[in-house]
Each structure stands twice: as structure tokens, then as C-alpha cells.
Amino acid sequence: MSPSGPFQRERWTSPLRGPWLASVLSVGLAVLFGVELVTGYLSHAAYQPQLGANDLTGGGLDQQLFGWAWPTSPAWLYLANQGLHVVAGVALIPIVAAKLWAVMPKFYKWPPVRSPADALERLSLGLLVGSTLFLLFSGVWNIAYWYSAFRGFDFVAAHYYAAWVFLGSLLAHVIIKSPVMVRAFREHGLRPLGQSLADTIPEPADPQTSAPLAPATPALSRRGLLGLVGATSAGFALLLAGQSIGGVTRGISLFAPRRQDPGGGPNGFQVNKTAASAGIKPEETQSAWRLTLRGTRARELSRTELLALPQHTYQLPIACVEGWSTTQTWTGVRLRDLADLAGSGDAGQVLVESLQSDGVLRQATLNRGQLHDERSLLALRVNGVDLSLDHGFPARVIVPALPGVHNTKWVAKMTFEAA
Amino acid sequence: MMRRLYGAGPAHLAGVLAFLLLATYGWTRIFQHPKAWTIVAAFVVVVVAHDLIFLPLYTAVWRAAARAGASTPSAVPVLPHLAAPALISVLLFVVWFPLIVGKGMLTSLSTLPLQGYLGRWLILTGALFVVSALSYALRAARARRRPAPGRAGVS
């Protein structure tokens, strides 16, 4: 049987394709995917999955890697981590596209499998491409709020475990392909970067590589192609990064979902989820609202009583897992003062619960350092005025370097526990 | 012996199997979710759609464009200056289509507007073509001033 269509190697004619181009693109991918793996791990650690019901992934063996206490300093730690994770993820997309293009003839090689080693390589490649595309697109769809794409699965668990599939298949790919990369750089070094269009010649024809058997005349140099890919990658990053950096850059980032503030005034900053979408009824936040404290003794406090306690003011960010952030000036009662009131001044952790009646993020458990940091507040006011309902009135948690959704809004109950 | 039967050395086999095992662990965790097969089904649909619809389509477009470029030889190939802005624009759409076509829950969850993304995508696409045309004009002018020895067009 003789192959046809894309299985015919002569049909792939681009003179730029070949092991060298694929290797150069892989260097860029390795750097950015390295950033993704590190920031992804830290992002998961920041949720403190070892505490209470914080874990959203179903608690596999891998959770043993997350026993350590997430710090509260620097306060911008989570902001920087998530901004980097999301922006580097979007910057990866043009490079992944270029890499897929550069190696495309190999996807259609004929015969598809030559040996058991080749079969394992094809399997790892399938897992690598599949998990890469899944990670990139599920991430983008999550920050674009296209939640109906996730009807079949849970985003957090699927994105997290897809990263394990990615890591395993990536390492297998590195074992298989690193000799190809070493050979490409040994033969050509970075010389192709110095070649203009007139000097651009195809890599040696070899049916085992992605180099063309019947190359066309080049219309673009390799450095021209790499320059375009790099500029596109940087452009994709700039079109999003403003929502992490804030200020005037927010508006410049044309495709950032959080590119504009939702309103004006002291409460006019970004809202993660509104009270209405969280099912909060305004009447349950009014005069009947009480904060319940549980420690070695139980206390109930009205908002007036909370306002009569010592108030502290700090400028702190809320930073979302989606990469956007906003820094505001919060005023309220220290969490550790509330622990004292409940007779649990030495508590090792605190479970904070919201008025919100359902959703996995209606509650969060904070660690010892987060509970006892002097900047950790049950905020009652922001920028000199009462919190708006959408920002968590009557009271919300603000803790430095804490993932945004763990800064619980509409707080109803705090349970101080030994660690 | 091993090379003949397996196709590579023992280190290859051990390393690849170990890391595939790690990948399999992630895979089994994902598939604890009863509907996770929809992800695999979606991938099969994407691959089949690519091979049967998109691959023939963009191959045909590319060949037609390359033929047109070859029939009008010039010192600076036109094709990359058309392909680059077009491809970047398509990629932007693929990435941000939930915002561009106004799907998604941005407004209902955060009160932020979903309008404007389509317009900004169109303006950006136009700007990419303008920048590309300007850089073509610049390169063509430079090539006229310093004629390079005979290299013309694209295939």
C-alpha cells in the first residue's frame, strides 16, 4: 500500500523545517514550560491542600508534595506567581503552534510505527501534544470565563492532573529527542540565525526527520520566522499582562478579561464573583448578621461590635488564580485578635466559612502564619468606606499573599483549631 | 539483540517506561471523573476535523497563494507579508474566541462588559496587515536600492 495525501513525504515542502528549527523552538518551549511547571506547583501549594477541605483535586498520592506552609511575605508573592503563570501560558501558544508546524510531517510518517521503541515514542508524543493543548486551552478558557466548556469535568482537578500527564510525557520526550537536539546544535550551532533569506538553505533531506525531501524555494529566512514567532509570543503576553500589572497597562491589554474596572469610587475595583452570582441575599447581610467565633469559647459579634474593636489598615492585593490582581487599602480587625476573643490565641489554623450556601470555595482553612500575621484582617472597610455587597459586606478576609478565592467574602463563621 | 527487537537501547526503554508511568498516574486521576471521556472524545473530533477539513483547506490556500506569488516575481517575497498577519489573526481568534464571540460568564459573574473584543480583534487584524505592508514596502525599497543577485519569488 503506498501512502497518499499528507502521508506522502514529498508533499511537505517547506524549506525551513528540520531538526534545527524544531530544536531552537524547543529551547523556547523548555524555558516557558519550566516557568509553567514551577508556578503551577507553587499555585497549587498556595491553596494549602493539606488543610481542612482546601484540596479540590480529590487527594491523590501527589498531595504528599504539598505539606509546607505557604508564606505571607512578600505580600505580592501570589500575585507575581499567578501573573507569571497565566501570561507565560498565553505566550507559549504561538511557540507551540510553530513547533507543531515545524514537526508536522512526522505526525504523518509512513509506516506509522516501525518498532516497539517507535510505538512508545508515538504514545508519549500523543500524550505530550494532547496534554499540552489541553493545559493551554483549558487555562485560557478558564480565564475567559467560558465555563460551559467544562461541563464534562472539573477545571482545577483536570488542569492539575493534566500537568502530571504533561510532565511524564515531556520527560519521556526529552529522553527520546535530546540526541536529535544535541546533533542539530553540534552541526549547525546558532549559524542559521545569522543567515539572510538569500543564504537560507534546507536541512539535509532525511525521511527520518521533518526536513523536506522536495524543498521549495524559501520565502522567509529561519531568523525571520523565529523573529515573527518570538514577536507574536511577546505580543500575546502584552495583550494580557495588564490585568496582572494594573494601572494604565490594564487598558492597553486588549484581550485581558479584566482590562477595565467595573465601576468608579472606593468600591469600583475588580469583583471576582458578585453577591448575586454567589446566591447571597442582601437581607442576610444587614442588621441580623452576626459573626460566629468558635474556639475554646464561642462568641457572636455584630458588625457594630466588630467596628468597636481595634481597627488596622493595610494596603494589600487580591490576586486571582486567573492572573488578574488589584491592590486596595483595607481596614478591619486582625484575625489574631478574633482568635484571642474566642479564647484560642494560640490556634494553629482557622476555618473561615461564608454566608454562601454552596460551592467548594464557600470555605477556606488558613495556616498558622496566615492567622497570626499582623496584616491578616477581617476587613470591614476598603479605601475609607464600608465594603460594598459585591466585595463581601459585612466582612471579608484579607491575608497577604493568599489566593484570591481564599480571601472569603460575606464571612459568617470562623472556627479556630489546633494545627 | 535488544536493538533489533525493541529498536533502541535499554536506557531508552527504562526511561521512557518510567515517565510514561508518571503520565499514566495523572491520566488515571483525571479519569476518576466520570465524564472525563468527553476530553478524549473532543480530541478525536479535533484531530479528525483537522485532517479531513482544515489540512486540505489550508494546504490548498497555501499552494494557491504560493503559485500566485511565483507568477509575480519580485526581489522580496510577498507571501510571508500576507501569511504572517493572517496567521497571527487566526491564532488570536482561536485563543480568545470566547471573548470575541461573547460567550462565557464574564458579565454575569463580575459585571464586566463582554462587548468590544470583536472590534478590537478586527482593528488589531487591520493593524497587523498595515504593519506587514509597511515592512514589505521598506524591504522592497531597500532591495531596489541594492539589487541582490538573482533570487526571485517563492514557489
Side-chain angles (χ1 to χ4, degrees), chain B:
Chain B
M1 180 68 176
M2 168 113 190
R3 262 186 198 285
R4 195 163 53 79
L5 286 180
Y6 171 64
H12 182 284
L13 179 63
V16 172
L17 277 184
F19 289 127
L20 283 182
L21 212 61
L22 182 63
T24 309
Y25 169 72
W27 181 271
T28 57
R29 296 293 309 175
I30 294 175
F31 281 83
Q32 299 212 325
H33 197 292
K35 286 189 185 166
W37 283 105
T38 56
I39 304 174
V40 178
F43 268 105
V44 172
V45 169
V46 167
V47 168
V48 170
H50 173 266
D51 285 4
L52 294 186
I53 302 170
F54 295 109
L55 178 72
L57 201 67
Y58 63 67
T59 310
V61 170
W62 184 259
R63 274 161 203 271
R67 264 197 304 277
S71 65
T72 52
S74 70
V76 179
V78 183
L79 193 53
H81 288 271
L82 292 172
L87 286 172
I88 294 169
S89 171
V90 167
L91 195 58
L92 267 177
F93 184 85
V94 169
V95 171
W96 292 117
F97 81 89
L99 295 177
I100 292 169
V101 305
K103 284 169 116 59
M105 300 177 66
L106 182 65
T107 306
S108 61
L109 291 179
S110 71
T111 75
L112 289 169
L114 257 176
Q115 289 82 27
Y117 288 97
L118 174 63
R120 286 192 288 277
W121 175 65
L122 290 173
I123 290 168
L124 201 60
T125 300
L128 285 169
F129 275 101
V130 169
V131 169
S132 188
L134 288 177
S135 78
Y136 176 78
L138 207 69
R139 287 178 71 195
R142 210 181 289 157
R144 267 198 301 278
R145 248 185 293 127
R146 269 179 304 159
R151 173 173 214 106
V154 293
S155 70

Side-chain angles (χ1 to χ4, degrees), chain A residues 136-160:
Chain A
L136 293 177
F137 280 96
S138 66
V140 169
W141 293 342
N142 192 55
I143 66 177
Y145 298 86
W146 191 37
Y147 293 159
S148 49
F150 301 136
R151 247 179 247 143
F153 56 92
D154 171 68
F155 169 72
V156 176
H159 194 75
Y160 172 78

